[in-house]
Amino acid sequence: MKITLDFTKTPHRRWNPLAQEWLVVSPHRLERPWQGQVEKTAPAERLQYDPKCYLCPGNSRAGGHRNPNYSSTFVFDNDYAALKADAAQAQTKQSDLIMAESERGICRVICFSPRHDLALSNMELDDIAQVVAVWSQQYRELGAIDWVTHVQIFENRGEMMGASNPHPHCQLWATETVPSYPAREQRAFLEYFKDQGKCMLCEYLKLEQQDGSRIVCSNESFTVVVPFWAVWPFEVLLLANAHLTGLDQLPEDSRRSLADILKRITSRYDNIFGVSFPYSMGFHQRPTDSQQHPEWHLHAHFYPPLLRSATIRKFMVGYEMLAGPQRDITPETAAERLRAASEEPLR
Ligand code: H2U
Ligand code: ZN
């Protein structure tokens, strides 16, 4: 007979049903991870308008475009788009081992606010709800294009994550094929739905709600949880409470709920180490291939690299590159730490 694992002491591995991979957890390596240094450095004074910023209203961008004097959100086609909508369709297959095909795509940039100095954590709720409305509208608009099967909305926040500019913004790439990670989730959702006749993340959310140890915060429409299988130290999964397959299904009066939960989780992040917390986040929504996808569940992943302080981060190297993901601080400890962090925007 096997004895029950002690998550707080015993090295173990956990199953990630969404990515269909294992994660190694080594809790004994970091007994008191929260004793990392908290840098109470005052955030650098930032201008509301920066004449050198290519995202601020009225400023020039690459390629000679000038931004309008926008007063809310602003969407434009990326001047350095990674993919093009008019790429000629082509294929090369030298063998099963050497193949390539053209990939069409549309890449856009979405400015959240005309204010250069703001972030999701300190924007007004109504203004974040407007960003949510734009995400939903863009998903609908680009998803309706016959060759687009996936719409990826993502935000790189902070220099550490490679964000090119502190002005609050995100990117959107709409592509001809479903990229590897959402495709892997798609397979997991579908297998679960076929086996169990239920939505995998609806069932997972129920389990987390019963347990409670990994829940960070919630409201009437969304729940933030450190997933059982989190890889990054303070990784969270943002789940729609209802079975929605995309942002287009989010009722208009729930946009404020999404705004509320985004503001709360990003504020908690900033308060962990007393600095603007870097992360990459993005939404995963059903493929836009005109199928229903009842198996799919709307969610967002937040992947922040910081581990012990504003400067000590986790690297995905060595074992992670060669074998698989591993973490020290347990997801339960990370959730405890996030629950203890204030939701007051950092001043
Ligand atoms: P990131 O901060 O996540 O890199 O997003 C900024 C995007 O803005 C980046 O993809 C684009 C870059 O290509 N950009 C323009 O489209 N025009 C510009 O004038 C500068 C940057
Ligand atoms: Zn700016």
Side-chain angles (χ1 to χ4, degrees):
M1 196 185 76
K2 285 194 179 165
I3 47 168
T4 308
L5 268 171
D6 180 350
F7 288 156
T8 64
K9 292 195 180 74
T10 317
H12 59 280
R13 62 178 196 152
R14 298 186 182 195
W15 175 240
N16 178 343
L18 204 50
Q20 301 196 315
E21 66 180 19
W22 290 95
L23 156 83
V24 170
V25 185
S26 316
H28 59 297
R29 289 224 301 202
L30 269 180
E31 282 176 353
R32 288 182 223 134
W34 54 87
Q35 291 205 331
Q37 176 189 357
V38 174
E39 322 238 328
K40 275 283 176 214
T41 47
E45 193 62 32
R46 290 216 351 241
L47 302 166
Q48 293 190 14
Y49 166 77
D50 178 350
K52 291 203 219 62
C53 167
Y54 59 81
L55 297 177
C56 273
N59 290 1
S60 298
R61 298 203 314 272
H65 299 279
R66 185 176 286 278
N67 297 329
N69 269 313
Y70 65 98
S71 56
S72 167
T73 52
F74 170 52
V75 184
F76 63 91
D77 283 326
N78 197 313
D79 301 308
Y80 303 98
L83 295 164
K84 306 275 186 192
D86 55 5
Q89 284 186 278
Q91 212 178 29
T92 292
K93 191 169 176 183
Q94 291 177 16
S95 85
D96 285 350
L97 301 180
I98 299 188
M99 22 181 202
E101 56 188 23
S102 54
E103 175 76 10
R104 286 181 285 181
I106 297 171
C107 302
R108 291 183 174 163
V109 178
I110 304 174
C111 298
F112 296 163
S113 161
R115 285 267 304 265
H116 185 79
D117 58 330
L118 298 183
L120 289 176
S121 53
N122 55 12
M123 281 173 64
E124 296 294 331
L125 274 189
D126 285 341
D127 296 337
I128 307 174
Q130 174 54 28
V131 174
V132 173
V134 170
W135 286 339
S136 164
Q137 185 269 332
Q138 290 286 320
Y139 174 73
R140 233 184 257 267
E141 176 190 316
L142 294 167
I145 297 173
D146 58 355
W147 55 265
V148 170
T149 65
H150 181 75
V151 178
Q152 186 59 58
I153 295 167
F154 63 98
E155 179 192 9
N156 293 318
R157 173 104 195 119
E159 270 170 61
M160 198 178 270
M161 295 313 290
S164 57
N165 188 324
H167 195 112
H169 69 283
C170 73
Q171 294 193 48
L172 177 160
W173 296 20
T175 51
E176 185 167 0
T177 59
V178 181
S180 303
Y181 305 144
R184 188 168 66 176
E185 291 189 353
Q186 170 62 20
R187 285 192 293 276
F189 275 128
L190 201 57
E191 275 171 28
Y192 190 92
F193 192 76
K194 281 184 178 158
D195 285 356
Q196 314 280 330
K198 291 176 192 160
C199 161
M200 180 169 69
L201 285 184
C202 280
E203 293 308 300
Y204 175 64
L205 178 59
K206 276 189 228 161
L207 295 173
E208 289 295 5
Q209 283 166 336
Q210 280 159 20
D211 180 282
S213 67
R214 285 172 296 271
I215 300 226
V216 177
C217 54
S218 62
N219 63 23
E220 61 286 6
S221 311
F222 292 91
T223 300
V224 173
V225 60
V226 178
F228 183 69
W229 52 82
V231 173
W232 293 94
F234 293 98
E235 173 178 337
V236 298
L237 184 64
L238 169 59
L239 293 163
N241 293 341
H243 180 67
L244 309 176
T245 61
L247 284 170
D248 58 332
Q249 293 183 348
L250 184 69
E252 246 181 85
D253 55 11
S254 298
R255 285 180 191 154
R256 235 171 169 272
S257 293
L258 181 49
D260 168 73
I261 209 81
L262 287 169
K263 187 175 168 78
R264 287 166 59 192
I265 184 59
T266 52
S267 294
R268 282 180 188 269
Y269 272 163
D270 290 350
N271 281 306
I272 289 189
F273 298 126
V275 290
S276 171
F277 207 68
Y279 60 76
S280 272
M281 72 81 81
F283 287 90
H284 279 159
Q285 312 180 67
R286 73 178 183 283
T288 56
D289 53 4
S290 38
Q291 310 278 314
Q292 294 269 309
H293 294 290
E295 73 283 3
W296 193 270
H297 192 112
L298 168 68
H299 62 279
H301 299 274
F302 278 78
Y303 299 137
L306 292 183
L307 174 63
R308 298 177 73 114
S309 73
T311 48
I312 302 180
R313 58 163 294 173
K314 175 179 175 66
F315 286 97
M316 291 286 191
V317 295
Y319 192 83
E320 280 99 339
M321 278 182 145
L322 277 308
Q326 184 273 345
R327 67 180 290 137
D328 294 343
I329 160 181
T330 66
E332 294 72 30
T333 305
E336 207 177 291
R337 187 81 183 82
L338 279 164
R339 274 197 301 272
S342 164
E343 289 189 344
E344 280 304 307
L346 195 64
R347 297 259 161 241

